[in-house]
Amino acid sequence: MRASPFAAHGVGTTQPKDHQAMSIIENRKAFHDFFIEERHEAGIVLEGWEVKAIRAGRANIKESYVIIRNEEIFLFGMHISPLTTASSHVRHDPVRTRKLLLHKKEIARLIGKVERAGFALVPLDLHYVKGRIKLEIGLAKGKKLHDKREDEKKKDWDREKQRLMRTQV
């Protein structure tokens, strides 16, 4: 069997699974308020003006949340500010509900965990994968106030250790 003439240049070959994702927005508040148990990557159904605005860095996922309806997953509250230069003939709704795209088996597993185990779905990160915009959602359990205080103390102690190590060396 003869090798493809494009194989030497990487064209037509399969890419490794661990491709680098370029982050657009990270939801740091989610890590403060929740314990993240699992992470899943989902595609988002977007309009053209939304893609342009996201590429320009005009999106916010801090106050957004994920809901399951009729065995489909939706993202609520993600704010995308429209660009004035992108399609002026379209009425823009910056906080419209956006559908997330996952495999049926993944959706079924997530539904089971959310309904039975008391988990919540939280948007964690908006990023590019091979030029496409993806959303990383996390299966999360809420933190209590004492857990948040404990995390804050741990961060302060780690910072203090770094400061001490820097002064000693």
Side-chain angles (χ1 to χ4, degrees), residues 1-8:
M1 187 169 136
R2 207 172 112 202
S4 168
F6 301 108

Side-chain angles (χ1 to χ4, degrees), residues 4-169:
S4 168
F6 301 108
H9 300 290
V11 178
T13 60
T14 58
Q15 295 290 326
K17 263 299 203 200
D18 57 343
H19 46 268
Q20 290 292 322
M22 192 171 94
S23 184
I24 302 168
I25 305 166
E26 188 176 322
N27 187 0
R28 292 190 181 139
K29 186 178 176 193
F31 295 100
H32 182 261
D33 293 339
F34 297 97
F35 292 113
I36 309 301
E37 302 292 325
E38 292 178 18
R39 295 169 180 248
H40 297 276
E41 188 176 74
I44 311 174
V45 177
L46 296 171
E47 295 177 0
W49 69 269
E50 291 173 326
V51 174
K52 289 179 181 182
I54 289 172
R55 288 187 186 280
R58 299 178 60 113
N60 184 1
I61 60 171
K62 187 182 269 187
E63 299 296 323
S64 61
Y65 55 98
V66 178
I67 284 197
I68 300 170
R69 279 194 191 152
N70 302 328
E71 298 182 5
E72 293 180 331
I73 297 182
F74 295 95
L75 177 66
F76 284 87
M78 177 177 160
H79 190 278
I80 301 175
S81 302
L83 294 171
T84 55
T85 56
S87 55
S88 58
H89 63 280
V90 178
R91 277 187 53 98
H92 306 294
D93 183 11
V95 289
R96 74 175 183 89
T97 303
R98 294 165 181 93
K99 185 177 178 180
L100 298 180
L101 306 171
L102 288 163
H103 291 284
K104 254 189 171 149
K105 287 182 181 179
E106 278 184 299
I107 293 172
R109 258 188 71 249
L110 290 174
I111 289 172
K113 295 238 180 172
V114 168
E115 289 180 354
R116 288 187 213 108
F119 285 97
L121 291 173
V122 180
L124 301 175
D125 183 44
L126 197 65
H127 58 274
Y128 298 114
V129 175
K130 297 181 182 178
R132 301 195 189 277
I133 298 172
K134 303 285 184 175
L135 179 73
E136 185 175 40
I137 57 175
L139 197 60
K141 268 233 195 270
K143 284 185 181 178
K144 304 282 189 233
L145 185 60
H146 61 86
D147 293 329
K148 292 179 188 177
R149 287 184 189 144
E150 195 174 300
D151 282 350
E152 194 64 36
K153 285 179 188 175
K154 186 177 181 293
K155 284 179 191 173
D156 288 344
W157 173 239
D158 289 343
R159 221 176 293 128
E160 188 64 30
K161 280 195 298 189
Q162 288 295 330
R163 197 174 298 128
L164 288 171
M165 292 299 288
R166 226 178 299 126
T167 57
Q168 289 178 356
V169 174

